[in-house]
Amino acid sequence: MFWSSNGILQQAHELEQLLQTYGVDIALICETRLSPTKRLSFTATTITVLTGLPEGARELIPSVPFTAQDIITLTGRKNFFAAGDLNSKHTHWKSRISNQAGRTSTEHATLNNYVVLAPEEPTFYPSNYRNLPDVLYVILTDLNQHLEELYTLKELDSDHIPVFCRLRIDTNPWNFFLRRNIPNTDWPKYQATKEKAIPQEDHPDINLLIAQKRAARHDWQTSRSPRHRVVYNRLRAQVRWIAKQLKMIRWNEFILETVNGGNSVWKITKHLKAGTQRTKAPAIHGRKGMTYTAADKTEAIAESLEDQFKANSEPQDDNISIVVKDEIRAGVPQGSALSPFLYSVYVADIPTNPKIRVRLFADCTLFFTAHRNIRYAFKHMPRFLDQFRDWLEKWRIKVNPAKFTSIRISKRRIQPQDQFRILGEIIPYANELRYLGLTIDSRLNWKPHIEYLRIKAMGVFIRNYTLFKSQQLNTPTKLLLYRSLILPLLVYACEAWSYASPHVLYQLQVVQNKVLRCILGVTTRTNNGFIHAENGTKTLREIFENRDRSFYNKTLLLEENDIVKNLGQYNPREPRKYKKPRL
């Protein structure tokens, strides 16, 4: 089948039924208007959709003259089969008139011994009733084919009519008599088995409307009367509206199946949180500068690997120099579960200091100290950094000094006079520090972190605004999307920053209120207590209190980590100088 769709997304349901009804193996579809991120999937049908142009071909535009080179590009290979709207008209294939493109195609087919096929009925009905229909679809092929069927279809909506073609192709005529005898297929049994294995959707309303739409379209194409065109347009709009409703019903069923234990939770979350544009591969900095093309990137990666895999220089410490005579036949593949354990063993003897606390998490390393006197706190850090530098040189560990950052957390505005150094370079001070997903500021009021969470949550809400605003999705499904996509962003690590000022935390409460109002479809004048009671959701303050109470109760049961265990050793209601979560 070949067809110019003039937009395929709104006709996907009808196209799926058409492919299943006629048993289409190959569908040549152009003018789909599909973006690179859009995909179409059909059940119980295997098709091949060709939407691009052959290499060296160009799009055929009526205003651009049609040349013999365009035909040579399409028919330059042996055993070719090309079909579609070539803007070619000739009386040989029942067109009303002959144009330059049609005459060129006819002359080239006669000289190169291939055939041009076309249906008997018109394939193009202009939207303007003053213009007459004509035959534009043709088939160019040099295959040894036996044409069995070639006719137009009344299905689908476009000014171009789909053309169905059934061919029997014999690449070698002598092999036709050598085929093995294949028994007849029991088609009723096959149909029953297929319907049992693949449940078919029975929608009598849309099937009846599709039949009425086809009849109305046939009446309009026959009479070219504006009155019949109005009836056809109204039925087409109804079919598309019901098809959209069915699509939303399928979506709701998919969401409910996921909630009830489906294995597509990560797939649907990734699909909803992803942007509309595909991420482009970044450029690579090689020896000759920035590289952008695939060939230059390959060369840059090869040069980088060549520089990395060289023989190491002799170690500075002779005590750890070991000569390996036997061939090493063991190793750890990249991504192995053993790699984190080996890394932990390798850095287990990192320097320690009674006044400096060291925290390791994956490849993130944190050194911190605390004291009421800021000068006394800064006194021990340079000495520890010198020990850390010696440890790096001993085990030949290379670090990037540019990734080191220091921050002073205090309510006082006294700036330290000394600068920390690592490997001879100054470690700069910063007012904000990103660590394990948290933005730690120098005043520890958590304003930058909460603003970051607000922007991130609003970004996810805006990208999925059409889902939250849709009238086809029911309220439980929308609440599920809210709890899966937005709420985890608002409460991530809230046990650490939920003691922030109420007017700072109120920014996150505003985001939650906006989402819940959108789910219910109410205005901003609706009371906040009503939207929470109607949806059965808790406010963020209530969620913070429950998570804080659960977390600090669990810390009392920990025996291994003394620091985490000591977090719960306090009464949250007693007067205190230092901030802790309000329970």
Side-chain angles (χ1 to χ4, degrees):
M1 186 191 79
F2 44 98
W3 173 50
S4 295
S5 61
N6 194 22
I8 197 175
L9 284 179
Q10 294 183 347
Q11 308 179 64
H13 182 79
E14 292 184 66
L15 178 61
E16 181 178 2
Q17 287 189 343
L18 175 64
L19 296 175
Q20 295 178 1
T21 301
Y22 289 90
V24 177
D25 297 321
I26 299 177
L28 306 179
I29 304 176
C30 58
E31 299 181 10
T32 59
R33 298 182 183 179
L34 291 176
S35 62
T37 58
K38 293 290 184 181
R39 290 185 178 181
L40 286 180
S41 59
F42 302 108
T43 58
T45 301
T46 302
I47 66 171
T48 302
V49 179
L50 305 178
T51 58
L53 294 174
E55 183 178 358
R58 67 173 179 86
E59 184 179 359
L60 301 180
I61 305 174
S63 59
V64 179
F66 187 82
T67 62
Q69 183 61 36
D70 299 326
I71 293 294
I72 295 175
T73 304
L74 293 175
T75 62
R77 300 177 181 179
K78 293 183 179 181
N79 299 329
F80 65 88
F81 182 91
D85 182 6
L86 303 181
N87 295 327
S88 300
K89 300 180 182 180
H90 203 281
T91 55
H92 285 181
W93 51 77
K94 305 299 176 60
S95 295
R96 294 187 302 105
I97 60 175
S98 299
N99 60 2
Q100 183 264 344
R103 289 189 292 268
T104 303
S105 302
T106 304
E107 295 174 1
H108 190 271
T110 304
L111 294 176
N112 294 272
N113 193 23
Y114 64 87
V115 296
V116 181
L117 305 176
E120 297 288 339
E121 299 178 358
T123 62
F124 174 67
Y125 287 85
S127 56
N128 189 350
Y129 66 92
R130 295 184 179 90
N131 299 331
L132 298 178
D134 208 343
V135 177
L136 295 182
Y137 285 158
V138 295
I139 299 175
L140 309 179
T141 179
D142 64 346
L143 299 175
N144 186 12
Q145 45 79 28
H146 302 277
L147 182 62
E148 296 183 355
E149 292 177 300
L150 181 61
Y151 54 88
T152 59
L153 304 177
K154 303 303 180 184
E155 288 82 352
L156 304 176
D157 301 323
S158 177
D159 50 2
H160 292 269
I161 306 300
V163 177
F164 180 77
C165 176
R166 189 184 302 275
L167 297 176
R168 188 182 68 196
I169 301 174
D170 299 328
T171 56
N172 188 348
W174 295 101
N175 293 336
F176 179 76
F177 304 98
L178 301 179
R179 293 183 300 177
R180 62 188 180 91
N181 186 17
I182 302 177
N184 295 329
T185 304
D186 189 355
W187 290 111
K189 182 178 179 181
Y190 168 77
Q191 181 70 17
T193 305
K194 187 185 73 170
E195 292 178 355
K196 183 178 179 180
I198 304 175
Q200 301 294 325
E201 299 180 357
D202 186 16
H203 303 294
D205 295 338
I206 191 172
N207 294 334
L208 178 61
L209 285 175
I210 290 176
Q212 294 176 354
K213 178 182 69 70
R214 293 173 184 171
R217 183 184 185 185
H218 178 71
D219 295 340
W220 171 73
Q221 292 176 349
T222 304
S223 63
R224 308 295 288 174
S225 171
R227 179 172 58 86
H228 291 135
R229 179 61 186 265
V230 171
V231 176
Y232 164 64
N233 289 340
R234 183 175 67 252
L235 292 174
R236 181 178 62 177
Q238 293 179 3
V239 169
R240 292 185 177 181
W241 184 83
I242 295 180
K244 186 176 180 180
Q245 299 291 327
L246 295 177
K247 184 178 180 181
M248 299 309 301
I249 292 175
R250 294 178 184 176
W251 175 260
N252 287 331
E253 293 176 353
F254 175 69
I255 294 292
L256 295 177
E257 181 182 355
T258 304
V259 175
N260 295 331
N263 53 0
S264 304
V265 176
W266 167 244
K267 180 179 179 181
I268 185 176
T269 304
K270 183 179 179 181
H271 172 72
L272 293 175
K273 297 179 67 174
T276 57
Q277 297 182 354
R278 290 184 177 181
T279 304
K280 297 183 179 180
I284 297 178
H285 190 279
R287 294 178 181 176
K288 301 178 182 179
M290 300 301 295
T291 57
Y292 301 93
T293 63
D296 295 341
K297 289 181 181 179
T298 303
E299 186 67 22
I301 293 175
E303 293 175 353
S304 176
L305 294 177
E306 182 181 354
D307 294 338
Q308 295 180 25
F309 291 93
K310 289 183 178 180
N312 294 328
S313 59
E314 293 294 331
Q316 300 178 1
D317 192 352
D318 296 335
N319 296 328
I320 64 172
S321 178
I322 302 176
V323 178
V324 180
K325 297 182 180 179
D326 298 334
E327 181 182 357
I328 300 178
R329 299 183 179 180
V332 179
Q334 185 176 4
S336 172
L338 190 60
S339 299
F341 175 75
L342 295 178
Y343 174 78
S344 301
V345 173
Y346 191 74
V347 300
D349 62 338
I350 191 171
T352 57
N353 189 297
K355 303 295 182 179
I356 304 296
R357 298 179 182 179
V358 181
R359 297 292 175 264
L360 302 176
F361 185 84
D363 58 345
C364 296
T365 305
L366 176 68
F367 306 141
F368 69 96
T369 182
H371 199 273
R372 295 180 180 274
N373 191 332
I374 186 174
R375 295 181 177 84
Y376 186 82
F378 276 80
K379 178 180 178 181
H380 300 278
M381 187 60 70
R383 301 176 184 175
F384 178 78
L385 291 178
D386 292 339
Q387 299 177 5
F388 181 67
R389 178 200 58 197
D390 297 339
W391 179 80
L392 294 176
E393 294 177 352
K394 176 181 178 181
W395 294 110
R396 299 160 60 189
I397 299 176
K398 187 177 181 180
V399 297
N400 186 4
K403 293 186 177 181
F404 281 76
T405 306
S406 60
I407 184 173
R408 179 182 66 89
I409 301 176
S410 175
K411 294 295 183 181
R412 300 180 182 179
R413 300 185 181 275
I414 301 177
Q415 295 294 335
Q417 301 296 331
D418 299 333
Q419 295 283 347
F420 298 141
R421 293 177 178 270
I422 185 69
L423 300 178
E425 297 189 14
I426 297 177
I427 301 177
Y429 283 101
N431 294 326
E432 299 176 6
L433 179 64
R434 190 77 178 165
Y435 181 69
L436 300 183
L438 298 177
T439 303
I440 305 174
D441 58 284
S442 59
R443 307 283 293 178
L444 211 60
N445 53 23
W446 300 102
K447 287 184 179 180
H449 179 68
I450 293 176
E451 177 65 16
Y452 169 79
L453 294 181
R454 186 191 69 83
I455 295 175
K456 191 173 182 180
M458 284 300 299
V460 176
F461 172 60
I462 292 173
R463 286 199 298 269
N464 300 279
Y465 179 78
T466 55
L467 293 177
F468 290 106
K469 196 68 175 178
S470 175
Q471 297 180 358
Q472 285 75 23
L473 288 179
N474 52 22
T475 302
T477 303
K478 295 180 182 179
L479 290 176
L480 174 64
L481 295 176
Y482 154 71
R483 297 189 184 99
S484 302
L485 302 178
I486 298 179
L487 185 59
L489 301 177
L490 299 177
V491 300
Y492 172 73
C494 64
E495 295 84 358
W497 48 265
S498 60
Y499 63 83
S501 176
H503 78 275
V504 176
L505 295 176
Y506 183 71
Q507 302 178 26
L508 301 181
Q509 185 62 53
V510 171
V511 177
Q512 186 193 36
N513 295 341
K514 287 183 179 180
V515 177
L516 296 180
R517 280 193 176 91
C518 183
I519 292 176
L520 289 179
V522 296
T523 62
T524 55
R525 297 182 179 181
T526 306
N527 184 270
N528 294 335
F530 171 78
I531 62 176
H532 287 281
E534 188 70 16
N535 289 320
T537 58
K538 298 180 180 179
T539 63
L540 290 183
R541 170 53 60 189
E542 296 173 347
I543 296 176
F544 293 161
E545 291 180 356
N546 293 338
R547 292 174 66 98
D548 292 342
R549 185 177 294 105
S550 175
F551 173 77
Y552 286 100
N553 290 337
K554 291 180 180 179
T555 57
L556 299 176
L557 304 178
L558 296 178
E559 299 293 341
E560 300 177 356
N561 197 325
D562 295 335
I563 297 178
V564 178
K565 182 178 180 180
N566 294 331
L567 292 176
Q569 302 291 340
Y570 76 98
N571 184 4
R573 292 179 176 81
E574 68 181 5
R576 57 190 182 278
K577 182 178 180 181
Y578 299 102
K579 289 185 176 181
K580 291 182 179 180
R582 302 179 177 90
L583 302 181

